Amino acid sequence: MADKIEAVFAGVDVGASRTKVAILDAGKNLIGHAVRKSGTDFTETAEICLASSLEMAGVSKEDIANCISTGYGRKNVPYSHDTKTEIGCHAKGCYHYFPMSMTVIDIGGQDNKVIKLDEHGRRVSFKMNRKCAAGTGAFLEEMAARLDIPLEEMDGLARKSENIVELGSYCTVFSGTEVLEKIRQGKKVPDIMKGLFLSVIKRVLEMDSLTERVVMTGGVVAHNPYLVNMVREITESEVLVPEYPQLTGAVGAALFAMETKG
Amino acid sequence: MSEEKKTTRKQIAAAKTLKKVMADHFYEMDNAVKTGSRKIAWCTSVGPAELLRGMGFLVYYPENHGAMLGATRMSTELIPFTNAIGYSPDICSYLTCDVGSYLQKKTPLTMAYNIESVPRPDVLVFNTNQCRDVQDWFAWYSRELDVPLVGVHTHRDIGDIREYQIKDIASQIEDLVPKLEEVTGEKFDMDRFKEAVGYSRRTSELWRACLEEAAAVPSPWTFFDATIHMAPAVVGRGTKEANDYYELLLPELKQRVKDGTAAVEGEKHRLYWEGMPVWGKLRPLSEQFYSLKACVVASTYCNSWIFDQLDPAEPFESMAVAYTELFIVRDEPYKEQYITDCYNKFKFDGIVFHDAKTCPNNSNNRYGMPERLSEKLGVPVLTINGDLCDLRCYSEEQAKTNIEAFIEQLEEG
Ligand code: SF4
């Protein structure tokens, strides 16, 4: 006879760009997860993501003791029991991995967050980027399209740069023109790519001051770890990254689910 | 899934009278234009309304019209027409939506009062007190309608108020008299002027008293209520009608305090709003705060119509004092002290700054004030990006998430 499965906790982060699900067991271990493009039907995507994370965890929907949803589409998850903001969930997720005071930098597909936590994990302040793609994943996607580069090659290209080409503008449209101008001047693609990474970092750093320790999360960081190296270099601070940076919000939501149940 | 609760608030009974006061205000002007019985002055929000009333003008406030255009969400459609004639989308959206309304011959007055258009001015009177935009705004109408333009140029960024500033403003106001006499064709009557100053003073005292009722815990009303009920203080400055309205509202608010009637049921958090209202989103914002058990108890904006320095014994000088002591013309240290005083009075536990894209003058978050005040008062602050009338500059989703996260932060303590 199979052992009785203990209750699990689900966190669903429906971002504007990607939907992430995390399943935690009672010991707060990440036992299942999934990431998928949010698309236009958030509810359906959240269902599909949940199904594949449950499968990975080897549990079924009935084993979920509590579920919290977060992110832009947090209200579109019929199976969730409550919602929390992505700011709260990222803070929670980061503090779980690094229980100390920190500044969280989350670079998402459509927005950025800078959240400051004290040593007890309480939020001291937070900022979200304004109504603009500058410094977000959307900016990099747009630029990759201009350069005709698949997204997954950006990181490798930027690493090859020997002579960074800095971009001056923060408007996505102006940057697009600037990139074309650099190509016309014969600048190398890796150097432009690194310049684009730097542009993202600058946008984030001007949102708020940083404290001693920085934790970086989000899909852009997950797929472009070279960004983290660059932030380390620029800020000369300790920059930590959780194992699955893209799942931090979902993990935070699952932790909230566990707390509110307990 | 959590859903925002529908509001089940106990309505403020005076609201019925408010509707009538506002309707009468517009009908009186509409009638005056049709019959030619009275002259109409257009006046900026801190223009010398008492003088205009004292000289027999009916007074129309384009900023109030801008707020109506914003609240009815007509503004966002109308602004582009003004942009197209060379007025930038980055300047005051009251200006751009109001001029757009003129160009397109569309006004919320039609829907609300069956009035075809705003009253045609006989004179345009500004005070640059809050910004230069008001002057440029009126100048456009002056050219378009061939109507005289007069005004007061205020000192700005004032720390300690100096005698020369008061003298200057007082004499600028006095200098308007002969120009206005030319429009009315009548001699200036000092007693009538003093009477208007007296009314304005009394209105201010009452309005202040109404706002201060929100110091009670729980608060009997919210900033969102006050943005509606302030209308008579704005358009009725210097009239008996405005006085009468607040004589009615104040006892009702006092009674609510006595009865423990909470504007936000189960009030858990008290907030201060710094900056302009987002006129087209008053209701959703008010409902969101309500559902989060957060009451916005006070604001710089609603306080800006308190002119209780006015003194009928010294009408010109006291108008100058009232207009010069005002928050918007003061320097940063004064503004921070002002909000600190409000903090002591209203006991709020967070401040929401509204960074209005087209109004730098009322967006006090741009020079580090939120950070300084947060540190000084030990309360968290939030800045939301938006605008007074141009909803193209407002992301509702982002604002909502920010507010929700801010309340979560307060709950974490
Ligand atoms: S203060 Fe701001 S909202 Fe008022 S008229 Fe000037 S720019 Fe417009």
Side-chain angles (χ1 to χ4, degrees), chain B residues 63 91-95 130-134 137 276 328 358-362 388:
Chain B
E63 281 154 89
I91 64 165
C92 176
S93 60
Y94 273 169
L95 182 169
Q130 63 267 53
C131 62
R132 66 162 276 180
D133 296 55
V134 287
W137 182 356
M276 296 292 290
I328 199 164
T358 71
C359 179
N361 317 288
N362 276 306
L388 41 144

Side-chain angles (χ1 to χ4, degrees), chain A residues 74-75 85 123-124 129, chain B residues 1 398 404 408-409 412:
Chain A
R74 61 188 176 280
K75 305 253 160 86
T85 65
R123 272 172 273 173
V124 179
N129 74 320
Chain B
M1 264 210 327
Q398 214 174 94
E404 205 177 319
E408 281 178 0
Q409 183 182 340
E412 277 175 12

Side-chain angles (χ1 to χ4, degrees), chain B residues 62-134:
Chain B
E63 281 154 89
N64 171 245
H65 190 239
M68 290 174 78
L69 287 160
T72 52
R73 289 178 294 283
M74 294 169 74
S75 50
T76 306
E77 303 285 308
L78 296 169
I79 290 166
F81 294 102
T82 312
N83 300 153
I85 60 164
Y87 285 74
S88 162
D90 291 336
I91 64 165
C92 176
S93 60
Y94 273 169
L95 182 169
T96 50
C97 75
D98 180 66
V99 171
S101 149
Y102 173 89
L103 294 171
Q104 289 301 299
K105 300 189 173 36
K106 282 183 187 159
T107 166
L109 297 181
T110 310
M111 186 69 152
Y113 308 111
N114 202 19
I115 291 174
E116 203 183 318
S117 67
V118 304
R120 196 185 191 285
D122 296 295
V123 64
L124 301 152
V125 189
F126 65 83
N127 183 351
T128 60
N129 197 297
Q130 63 267 53
C131 62
R132 66 162 276 180
D133 296 55
V134 287

Side-chain angles (χ1 to χ4, degrees), chain B residues 4-22:
Chain B
E4 275 164 31
K5 274 195 228 132
K6 281 282 155 263
T7 51
T8 50
R9 307 180 42 193
K10 185 168 180 235
Q11 298 304 320
I12 294 172
K16 266 198 192 136
T17 311
L18 173 67
K19 272 197 184 140
K20 184 169 180 323
V21 172
M22 292 309 289

